[in-house]
Amino acid sequence: MATQRVDILAVGMTTPVGLSAQATAAAVRAGITRTRESTVHLSAWDGQRLGLVDERHLHPLAPALEKTATGLSDRHRRMLRLSTLAFRELLATWKPSAPPPLMLALPEPPPQGMMDPVGPGFLAHLGQQTGVGFDAGKSRVFRQGRAGGLLALEAALALLASRQVDCAYVGGVDTYLDLGLLGRLDVEERLLSEGRAEGLIPGEGAAFLLLTTPKHTQSLGLEPLAHLLGTGTGREKGHLYSDSPHLGEGLTDSLHTLFATVPRELPKVETVYAGMTGERIWGREWGIAYLRNRDRLQEKYRIEHPAEYLGDPGAALGTLMVGLAALALHKGYRKGPCLVWCGSDREERGAALVHSY
């Protein structure tokens, strides 16, 4: 649980629909889709549909990493390249005088016995690749996939509340362009295809936020994009890889925790950014959580599910949706408060509340 309001000062993104946060937000607002058939052939159909950033738009791997990259998986390398422009974009607003800590969401570890494509040195490699300085000693990695970005937000809010730092970076990056991963999801019948009524479209992306305290924002003479009012997390025992019944308790608990941190007199939620990726479980889970928290939402709330346009960006989803909400509120084309929620393949669930300045 995190209770202190913080400012979202800047957002950076690289996605299949945009090479910057503003471009991505504009494309999602316009309903532009960038998922298409690829040259990846799996059992279900010819040319698996994917949401990918065009190779020519990805920043090359840093020369220092190229020399030692033989031990890095293709997925690890691509995630570093996806992160470059998105992380650097934060510095266009303001460059911190001291390197802030980074709370970073990464993919969930693979099943036991399978090689982990994300190496332990990812944070150090990210610093080399992007040139963005961050406090490695206070930084943390969250290997919880989609919900990881919201767990990372929770950790950042706690760190800011402790007054150890004035600002913090929060990010998430992932790609499904991994033949081992795609093959496993295909066998599990989780991918959308001609022969399946439901399923996710694999995607990729990177999204980063610069957070600071309202007092620090004021001292800098800057205007934030939006406020982050709080976060809530929970665990779903009946997750995708569990034998337990799916009861929707993880997301319900996340919302209960979140709403307990904000005043009852706060206006009801007007817009929901939902972690729906095309798999039926997320619609069921939201339905249960909504019914148990509907007194905190407007009767005719608006729902957004960005994965519809860019595919499932995995561990980037939580941070990406918080960034989209902040930009939408700042531009005035969505009403707040905005509720953001998403769930991981396994038990982690998370939620956040974003409101206008």
Side-chain angles (χ1 to χ4, degrees), residues 3 10 13 20 59 63 72 89 98 100 103 113 116 120 131 137 145 170 225 239 246 254 263 299 328 340:
T3 59
M13 295 179 194
S20 68
H59 199 279
L72 305 182
E89 189 178 356
M103 305 293 141
D116 191 345
V170 177
L225 298 172
H239 58 79
H246 176 243
S254 298
E299 184 178 350
V340 178

Side-chain angles (χ1 to χ4, degrees), residues 272-295:
V272 175
Y273 283 81
M276 296 183 184
T277 64
E279 295 185 278
R280 192 173 292 126
I281 185 175
W282 307 120
R284 290 199 305 265
E285 198 157 310
W286 169 243
I288 295 167
Y290 165 71
L291 287 174
R292 295 174 180 173
N293 293 273
R294 58 184 173 183
D295 62 317

Side-chain angles (χ1 to χ4, degrees), residues 21-67:
Q22 293 286 0
T24 296
V28 170
R29 181 186 182 190
I32 296 172
T33 301
R34 286 286 187 270
T35 61
R36 60 196 67 183
E37 290 187 12
S38 69
T39 57
V40 176
H41 296 273
L42 301 172
S43 62
W45 60 347
D46 290 334
Q48 174 62 46
R49 195 167 189 84
L50 302 174
L52 301 178
V53 178
D54 195 305
E55 176 70 23
R56 63 195 169 95
H57 296 312
L58 289 178
H59 199 279
L61 205 63
L65 287 173
E66 280 286 8
K67 295 177 183 178

Side-chain angles (χ1 to χ4, degrees), residues 147 150 231-239 246-259 272-276 281-293 303 321 339-344 346-352:
L150 300 178
T231 60
T233 58
R235 294 185 173 183
E236 176 58 54
K237 293 180 180 179
H239 58 79
H246 176 243
L247 302 177
E249 293 176 346
L251 184 57
T252 297
D253 290 346
S254 298
L255 266 60
H256 281 166
T257 303
L258 168 63
F259 288 130
V272 175
Y273 283 81
M276 296 183 184
I281 185 175
W282 307 120
R284 290 199 305 265
E285 198 157 310
W286 169 243
I288 295 167
Y290 165 71
L291 287 174
R292 295 174 180 173
N293 293 273
I303 191 163
M321 291 197 297
L339 171 66
V340 178
W341 68 263
C342 61
S344 300
R346 291 181 171 78
E347 63 184 6
E348 300 294 346
R349 302 292 185 264

